[in-house]
Amino acid sequence: MRQAGGLCFCHPLNLTSATAPSSHQHHHHHPTSLHKPFLKLSRKTHEVRPTAWLQHVCCAGPAAVDSYKHEAHPPPHHHPHHHHQMHAEDIDLLQWMHNQGLPPCKIQLKEWITHNGMGKPIHYVAASQDVHAGELVLSVPWALVVTLERVLGNETIAELLTTNKLSELACLALYLMYEKKRGTESFWYPFIRELDRQRGRGQVAVESPLLWSSEELNDYFTGSPMKDIVLERLEGIKREYEELDTVWFMAGSLFKQYPYDIPTEAFSFKIFKQAFVAVQSCVVHLQGVSLARRFALIPLGPPLLGYKSNCKAMLKVMGDHVQLEVDRPYKAGEPIVVWCGPQPNSRLLLNYGFVDEDNPHDRLSVEAALNTKDPLYQAKRTIVQRHNKFTIQTFQFYKGKEQETLLDMLPYLRLAHLSDLEVLDSVFAAEGPVCPVSREASSCNERAVLEQLSDYFTNRLAGYRTSLTEDESLLKDMHISPKKRVATQLMRIEKEILVRTLEEIQKFQDQLPNDTVSPCRGPYVPKLK
């Protein structure tokens, strides 16, 4: 058996011919020290030990492995082993897929020059000819799709793992890390090499903020909820890493003959995080398939395929292929896009490293909570539950629909501010900015509610380092770094939502009948965050 020690990689990008660039290109470029491939292995993995695919480690018996090998390769007349051995280091991804049974398609791989022309260009999928809306442009055989069913060799075990603390993305990342140890002997070598080239960068050559430094997170996301979103996801990835050994121990009794180190000893958290982010950037959520097949890595899929929020084209399973029919016409050479699902830009940036200016799903969250010290807390709790709300309720302020959310939120806050038990039940019957409980008390209470909302959104807007006007100027600067550009794009959208919400609040305040009435804030006002 070939020894693993001769297949591990101890210097940057042994899988590729050149160093992969960072998504944020510095003016002082040191390729040998700054840029690492996303699956680069630690030195401790260089011990001499027999190679094995992850199936050997992760819950698949010899019969399952044989079945996997048979399914993973095209029919014999394609001679995949010959192509793989002879041209593994030279063949490009598209040619490799054609050699492994990819039918003729209407796409090509093109290069996009990164920021300031520094570093290696990223690839993207473009039309190889003029195509019409509804035309089939790509049909990837199931044998070239990586799923948990294929990785683990057993659908039942795959589902068990993903319901027992370990996500599909963690399993797929672990699989790619082990496959990379096999070097050019891995069937997936051309695919892994392409992932190394992309380095988890999205369609604008920016890494997920999960790979940004703490200084960059602080500098670029001050005032934005994005920083907390990133830190929360990083904590989740850390928990995933700590559960990786579950895979090993579940299968250990079956595969003692394969003496790999357990995952957390073979791979550092830094390496796992890089692999996790790379998988996150390219995984596709397939519809109408079993749980073990729902998350898939598809060569020529994202991030080579771009995402667009207003696109309707999707990668779909049709028989034993994953196919793509375009939803719009393309000229030869134009990049092809697919739908990214109803995700706000905060998630697009987190998962794929880009911001879509046309995204209709952008929103900001506001959490309102009844004051637990309020003597009327239990009575108010009963009322909000009767109206399908909770004592801690999140309200989503969607871009362009700020007034709708305010109208949904006002009854909740009116109730929270009131201190008269007799009028509590009537609050949710009120519509508009003026609560008709009693004109004098209503105006007083309404001013307190609207003033609290105005103060909250004003303070939230003041938490950013730049204004909307300054953001516009920044985005016109062609020399701004890619990371700062996408961060500024996201925060500009957040600020626009905040500004429009404040404008709607002011309209409500202008409708109050008696502007001489002072706001009557009680001692148990609701908490907003």
Side-chain angles (χ1 to χ4, degrees):
M1 182 178 289
R2 180 77 179 274
Q3 298 299 307
L7 296 176
C8 296
F9 306 104
C10 59
H11 53 86
L13 224 64
N14 257 12
L15 277 184
T16 63
S17 58
T19 302
S22 167
S23 63
H24 174 55
Q25 301 297 343
H26 301 274
H27 291 293
H28 303 289
H29 183 54
H30 303 286
T32 58
S33 61
L34 292 179
H35 306 307
K36 310 294 183 185
F38 81 89
L39 289 177
K40 180 177 179 293
L41 303 181
S42 62
R43 292 184 181 275
K44 68 187 294 182
T45 64
H46 287 241
E47 301 170 356
V48 177
R49 37 182 93 243
T51 56
W53 289 16
L54 186 62
Q55 303 94 297
H56 296 166
V57 181
C58 303
C59 321
V65 174
D66 290 341
S67 171
Y68 169 81
K69 289 180 178 178
H70 174 75
E71 184 183 5
H73 293 72
H77 66 273
H78 288 283
H79 302 295
H81 184 72
H82 172 75
H83 286 292
H84 181 61
Q85 291 296 327
M86 295 297 292
H87 304 291
E89 296 186 13
D90 302 321
I91 196 170
D92 66 29
L93 179 65
L94 189 56
Q95 185 58 53
W96 170 73
M97 293 181 68
H98 281 305
N99 290 348
Q100 304 303 334
L102 178 72
C105 53
K106 299 175 183 178
I107 64 99
Q108 60 180 318
L109 280 180
K110 298 192 70 175
E111 290 187 343
W112 185 72
I113 305 300
T114 55
H115 179 61
N116 289 338
M118 297 174 62
K120 197 170 187 178
I122 64 170
H123 283 155
Y124 65 92
V125 169
S128 60
Q129 62 189 68
D130 292 356
V131 294
H132 303 289
E135 226 176 309
L136 179 67
V137 297
L138 181 63
S139 184
V140 180
W142 193 252
L144 294 176
V145 178
V146 185
T147 64
L148 280 193
E149 181 183 46
R150 184 178 306 286
V151 168
L152 300 176
N154 184 301
E155 182 173 346
T156 302
I157 293 176
E159 293 185 11
L160 176 62
L161 279 174
T162 56
T163 55
N164 186 30
K165 301 182 181 179
L166 203 62
S167 73
E168 292 94 336
L169 269 63
C171 290
L172 292 172
L174 182 59
Y175 175 65
L176 289 186
M177 289 191 294
Y178 275 119
E179 274 297 296
K180 179 164 179 175
K181 293 182 74 171
R182 304 184 67 243
T184 56
E185 288 191 357
S186 170
F187 173 74
W188 302 105
Y189 171 81
F191 183 33
I192 292 174
R193 181 181 58 184
E194 187 63 40
L195 293 180
D196 258 349
R197 180 189 183 106
Q198 301 296 113
R199 295 189 74 253
R201 295 172 297 165
Q203 56 211 57
V204 293
V206 177
E207 294 174 321
S208 164
L210 294 169
L211 298 179
W212 297 10
S213 68
S214 298
E215 292 76 16
E216 288 170 330
L217 292 178
N218 289 328
D219 289 345
Y220 297 157
F221 292 125
T222 296
S224 170
M226 188 64 188
K227 179 181 175 182
D228 288 337
I229 292 172
V230 172
L231 295 177
E232 183 179 352
R233 177 69 68 86
L234 285 173
E235 290 178 3
I237 296 174
K238 181 67 173 179
R239 289 192 296 270
E240 298 261 24
Y241 175 72
E242 293 168 350
E243 293 293 334
L244 281 182
D245 295 345
T246 301
V247 178
W248 173 273
F249 291 119
M250 287 183 67
S253 60
L254 294 174
F255 301 106
K256 290 180 180 177
Q257 68 269 35
Y258 300 106
Y260 265 127
D261 284 339
I262 61 175
T264 55
E265 292 183 6
F267 306 106
S268 68
F269 172 66
K270 180 179 179 181
I271 293 169
F272 173 71
K273 180 177 72 171
Q274 291 169 340
F276 187 96
V277 171
V279 168
Q280 174 183 268
S281 72
C282 62
V283 74
V284 175
H285 191 178
L286 296 175
Q287 305 293 319
V289 295
S290 65
L291 288 176
R293 290 186 169 194
R294 64 177 176 174
F295 285 97
L297 304 179
I298 304 171
L300 296 179
L304 300 178
L305 276 174
Y307 277 128
K308 194 69 178 171
S309 299
N310 59 8
C311 179
K312 297 180 180 179
M314 297 174 61
L315 287 161
K316 299 179 180 179
V317 177
M318 300 295 291
D320 57 354
H321 286 71
V322 178
Q323 298 184 340
L324 175 63
E325 292 183 357
V326 294
D327 69 330
R328 61 194 69 187
Y330 291 92
K331 295 292 185 182
E334 290 183 340
I336 293 177
V337 295
V338 293
W339 186 49
C340 54
Q343 303 184 71
N345 271 313
S346 57
R347 190 169 298 172
L348 294 183
L349 180 54
L350 184 73
N351 293 341
Y352 315 116
F354 80 100
V355 171
D356 184 356
E357 300 281 3
D358 299 322
N359 193 342
H361 306 292
D362 277 317
R363 59 181 182 265
L364 281 181
S365 300
V366 177
E367 183 182 282
L370 298 180
N371 195 318
T372 55
K373 296 180 181 180
D374 189 344
L376 300 178
Y377 174 78
Q378 290 299 334
K380 293 178 180 179
R381 176 174 176 266
T382 301
I383 293 172
V384 297
Q385 289 178 341
R386 192 186 307 148
H387 290 85
N388 300 314
K389 297 285 192 295
F390 301 95
T391 54
I392 301 177
Q393 180 68 39
T394 299
F395 295 90
Q396 302 290 354
F397 283 78
Y398 282 87
K399 182 173 65 177
K401 299 180 180 180
E402 294 82 5
Q403 186 186 83
E404 293 178 21
T405 308
L406 275 176
L407 291 174
D408 182 44
M409 192 178 188
L410 279 173
Y412 188 95
L413 294 183
R414 288 167 182 153
L415 176 72
H417 273 263
L418 287 174
S419 56
D420 186 350
L421 179 63
E422 295 182 1
V423 298
L424 294 185
D425 280 321
S426 60
V427 171
F428 271 89
E431 296 181 359
V434 179
C435 179
V437 177
S438 81
R439 188 172 181 83
E440 188 70 18
S442 169
S443 181
C444 170
N445 186 69
E446 202 71 14
R447 286 195 179 281
V449 170
L450 293 175
E451 185 180 83
Q452 184 187 17
L453 279 172
S454 180
D455 290 346
Y456 168 80
F457 284 103
T458 299
N459 290 334
R460 188 159 171 173
L461 189 60
Y464 293 93
R465 289 182 176 177
T466 56
S467 65
L468 271 174
T469 303
E470 290 169 325
D471 289 345
E472 295 291 346
S473 298
L474 276 172
L475 293 175
K476 291 176 183 178
D477 182 0
M478 299 304 296
H479 300 292
I480 186 176
S481 74
K483 289 181 181 178
K484 188 170 183 63
R485 179 174 296 279
V486 293
T488 302
Q489 286 176 317
L490 177 66
M491 290 193 292
R492 179 180 62 177
I493 293 169
E494 294 172 352
K495 294 170 195 174
E496 287 172 347
I497 294 174
L498 293 173
V499 167
R500 282 193 289 263
T501 302
L502 280 168
E503 291 172 351
E504 293 298 332
I505 293 171
Q506 184 60 54
K507 290 178 184 178
F508 286 174
Q509 289 174 322
D510 292 342
Q511 294 179 45
L512 290 173
N514 186 354
D515 56 11
T516 63
V517 177
S518 300
C520 46
R521 288 198 183 190
Y524 305 108
V525 297
K527 300 175 182 179
L528 299 179
K529 70 175 187 177

